[in-house]
Amino acid sequence: MPSADQTHMAVLGALSIMPMTGYAVREQIRSTLGSFWSESFGQIYPALAQLEKQGLIERLPSQTSRSAPFAPTAAGLARLRELLAEEPQPSRPRNGTLLRLFFGRQLGAEACRALLEQTRTQAEAQLQSLLVAREELAADALLRDDAPYIELTISAGEHSARAAIAWAEESLAALDALPATPTTATPTTATTTTRSTS
Amino acid sequence: MPSADQTHMAVLGALSIMPMTGYAVREQIRSTLGSFWSESFGQIYPALAQLEKQGLIERLPSQTSRSAPFAPTAAGLARLRELLAEEPQPSRPRNGTLLRLFFGRQLGAEACRALLEQTRTQAEAQLQSLLVAREELAADALLRDDAPYIELTISAGEHSARAAIAWAEESLAALDALPATPTTATPTTATTTTRSTS
DNA sequence: CGCTACATGTAAGGTGTTACATGATTCC
DNA sequence: GGAATCATGTAACACCTTACATGTAGCG
């Protein structure tokens, strides 16, 4: 899947749930899919233009004075199913927090503790916002048919957040148990303990 | 952090644990950091060249006939600590599995089930390889000082994998409970239930 | 002696983000 | 009338990956 297709999949998917303007698609992707997907501005509009030219989406006649929303055509829905059926391709992971902890000896135990506390705080906030998301999902009658599937992704976020909290707490305890912190980064100045320059 | 710095951080970090050739750095990043970080071939060599020019790393005289390994200089270690101390910048998430489940109504319950089973299988494999990694870590005397920090990242992987397994199993059960699968994607041909073309 | 793994690099091409540019509509 | 938000795009640039190019060392 040539990866522009990934954007097409996300955009078609969003429109399959509810007709929207490009602007709204971006907002939805940011707010609703935000924790596991991202598309930037500069990708969404070109994607919409392409999809419209291919007859996969069309503008609905707008009732209000607001801009006309896009909706997938029958061919568009078929294309969406085709894209969804392809194997998900693994994305390149880049977790800055774990990288820093891996090199924690250089970073120092104190800074590691701060990273862990930050992780825990963020996961707790995430948990809260997922609770809200679940309530909104239950309240929205328009989403009735999609809700069971959306629910799975909310649940994934919760499991992941709870795991992060448990891990952070365990790790903080483990750091406390570290004897005499044999840190390379001493509180004073950068005195190197290991090999030095030639 | 201009993001080329991210590569510098990973490379300096790897060399801080043990002097290595560029080739080995790549291998280490792929195998050891692979589950939470990635650097491609085309980034590592230019990064090494730059770091050497800046005097942050140097080639150690090689004992064997093998190629000479790089090691960080004192300035290099200082630079590493500086980089590590910066805020981790959030990476753009792209979880293809969750995106597909979100649009599960279009994909169909059966295919969703397959995705969940795949997720569970992968997480179980991940768990196994983390067990191996932990044993190797414990066995390697050279890593003694870094081990407590590396251990945190192994633990993170385990928490995450166990959460994925629990989530997948719960979700499979939830899908089984779904009444009469009101799928849009019918087993026969693509009969659209919703709006169609103009 | 040939295959595999080690080792180093570059350049083309694709991807993705950001900043800029522009204008309509709505609300206060 | 002015600010905020809705709405649509583009173009420059940063970023990364991939494929190519090249050569050495060790092993069977």
Side-chain angles (χ1 to χ4, degrees):
Chain A
M1 140 141 57
S3 185
D5 288 357
Q6 304 247 126
T7 299
H8 286 193
M9 176 167 61
V11 169
L12 278 171
L15 296 178
S16 84
I17 288 180
M18 172 182 311
M20 276 180 269
T21 66
Y23 188 85
V25 168
R26 182 226 191 181
E27 283 310 300
Q28 282 304 304
I29 289 179
R30 279 175 70 88
S31 65
T32 313
L33 309 180
S35 56
F36 56 86
W37 198 262
S38 81
E39 293 292 348
S40 79
F41 225 77
Q43 287 168 277
I44 291 174
Y45 280 112
L48 285 167
Q50 275 179 261
L51 289 170
E52 191 175 24
K53 206 168 64 184
Q54 295 172 232
L56 301 177
I57 61 175
E58 60 183 355
R59 284 211 185 249
L60 253 37
S62 77
Q63 270 68 354
T64 73
S65 62
R66 288 246 145 262
S67 187
F70 290 101
T73 62
L77 283 179
R79 176 72 180 136
L80 171 59
R81 292 196 204 100
E82 203 178 298
L83 289 170
L84 290 173
E86 288 185 35
E87 278 294 291
Q89 40 182 157
S91 69
R92 315 259 158 274
R94 281 214 147 186
N95 186 327
T97 299
L98 285 182
L99 188 72
R100 281 168 177 79
L101 289 175
F102 193 94
F103 302 128
R105 186 185 165 209
Q106 299 298 326
L107 180 56
E110 261 324 303
C112 288
R113 220 166 260 138
L115 283 173
L116 289 164
E117 266 152 18
Q118 194 185 14
T119 299
R120 181 180 51 185
T121 305
Q122 279 166 6
E124 277 160 356
Q126 166 83 346
L127 225 41
Q128 286 308 308
S129 71
L130 287 169
L131 282 182
V132 175
R134 174 171 285 138
E135 275 168 31
E136 284 174 1
L137 179 62
D140 194 336
L142 285 174
L143 297 180
R144 191 172 34 83
D145 294 330
D146 288 293
Y149 296 99
I150 296 177
E151 167 65 25
L152 298 184
T153 68
I154 292 178
S155 168
E158 286 174 339
H159 277 274
S160 160
R162 280 196 293 260
I165 292 168
W167 166 72
E169 281 169 357
E170 256 180 59
S171 299
L172 283 166
L175 282 187
D176 285 337
L178 256 194
T181 56
T183 327
T184 312
T186 51
T188 59
T189 181
T191 57
T192 54
T193 59
T194 48
R195 62 194 157 272
S196 57
T197 338
S198 59
Chain B
M1 142 140 55
S3 185
D5 288 356
Q6 303 247 126
T7 299
H8 286 195
M9 176 167 61
V11 169
L12 279 171
L15 295 178
S16 84
I17 289 181
M18 172 182 311
M20 275 179 270
T21 65
Y23 188 87
V25 167
R26 182 226 191 182
E27 283 308 301
Q28 282 305 303
I29 289 179
R30 279 174 69 89
S31 66
T32 312
L33 310 180
S35 55
F36 56 87
W37 197 261
S38 82
E39 292 293 348
S40 81
F41 225 79
Q43 287 168 275
I44 290 174
Y45 280 112
L48 284 168
Q50 274 179 260
L51 289 170
E52 191 175 24
K53 205 168 64 184
Q54 294 171 233
L56 300 177
I57 62 175
E58 59 183 357
R59 284 209 186 252
L60 252 38
S62 77
Q63 270 68 353
T64 74
S65 60
R66 289 246 145 258
S67 188
F70 289 101
T73 62
L77 283 179
R79 175 73 181 134
L80 171 59
R81 291 195 205 101
E82 202 179 297
L83 290 169
L84 290 173
E86 289 185 34
E87 278 294 290
Q89 39 183 157
S91 70
R92 315 260 157 272
R94 280 213 148 189
N95 185 325
T97 299
L98 285 182
L99 188 73
R100 282 168 176 79
L101 289 174
F102 193 94
F103 302 128
R105 184 183 167 211
Q106 299 298 325
L107 180 57
E110 260 325 304
C112 288
R113 219 166 261 137
L115 283 173
L116 288 165
E117 265 152 19
Q118 196 186 12
T119 299
R120 181 181 51 185
T121 305
Q122 280 167 5
E124 277 161 357
Q126 167 82 346
L127 224 41
Q128 286 307 309
S129 71
L130 287 170
L131 282 182
V132 175
R134 175 170 286 138
E135 275 169 32
E136 284 174 0
L137 179 62
D140 194 337
L142 284 174
L143 296 180
R144 191 173 33 84
D145 293 330
D146 288 293
Y149 296 100
I150 296 177
E151 167 65 26
L152 299 183
T153 68
I154 293 179
S155 168
E158 286 174 339
H159 276 273
S160 161
R162 279 197 294 262
I165 292 168
W167 166 72
E169 281 169 356
E170 256 180 58
S171 299
L172 283 165
L175 281 186
D176 285 336
L178 255 196
T181 55
T183 328
T184 312
T186 52
T188 59
T189 180
T191 58
T192 54
T193 58
T194 48
R195 62 191 158 273
S196 59
T197 338
S198 59

